[in-house]
Amino acid sequence: MLYIDANGPEWSASDPDNLPALVKRLKSEPLDPIYEGIGNFIVPYRPSGTAGETKRFKGCTHFFGHFATSSYVFSLVTDEKTVIDSLTAEIRMNQCRPDYQKIKVNAKI
């Protein structure tokens, strides 16, 4: 299961972009390092609503954050191992980028 809550310019009312669009952006621009302090972009999903939500997302991983140099936000929940592995690797590679590291140092994070 893959649920994309947001993936695109801020929390727009339009349909979210697809997963390849997020991966492409992760390869081309730095994430905002502020998210290191609130889960480091990847956390076990914590349901906050109904019993149905709890059952639907049990055992899922939540990916969330935004980019430092553009107005682009993402929030998605999945239990698909290939998606989890791929996004985790892309996010960790993004955090190794020189521009990400420079932003992090300048922000004193």
Side-chain angles (χ1 to χ4, degrees):
M1 183 271 305
L2 172 63
Y3 172 71
I4 301 175
D5 185 34
N7 188 32
E10 292 302 328
W11 291 90
S12 65
S14 62
D15 291 337
D17 290 344
N18 60 26
L19 195 55
L22 175 58
V23 170
K24 181 178 179 182
R25 191 166 293 261
L26 284 165
K27 291 177 185 286
S28 66
E29 68 180 272
L31 288 165
D32 185 341
I34 193 75
Y35 285 88
E36 285 189 17
I38 47 177
N40 206 16
F41 304 98
I42 308 165
V43 297
Y45 186 75
R46 295 179 194 100
S48 59
T50 65
E53 177 190 9
T54 300
K55 183 176 178 181
R56 179 179 180 199
F57 296 120
K58 183 177 180 173
C60 288
T61 300
H62 186 195
F63 293 85
F64 63 96
H66 65 78
F67 290 83
T69 57
S70 68
S71 177
Y72 193 99
V73 64
F74 62 96
S75 175
L76 58 98
V77 179
T78 188
D79 61 356
E80 296 176 21
K81 183 172 175 18
T82 56
V83 173
I84 293 168
D85 292 347
S86 173
L87 274 181
T88 298
E90 292 294 341
I91 288 170
R92 297 303 177 239
M93 284 189 292
N94 187 286
Q95 290 176 291
C96 293
R97 294 168 53 103
D99 51 356
Y100 179 94
Q101 292 299 316
K102 183 176 181 182
I103 292 165
K104 183 176 173 178
V105 167
N106 289 341
K108 296 182 175 117
I109 295 174

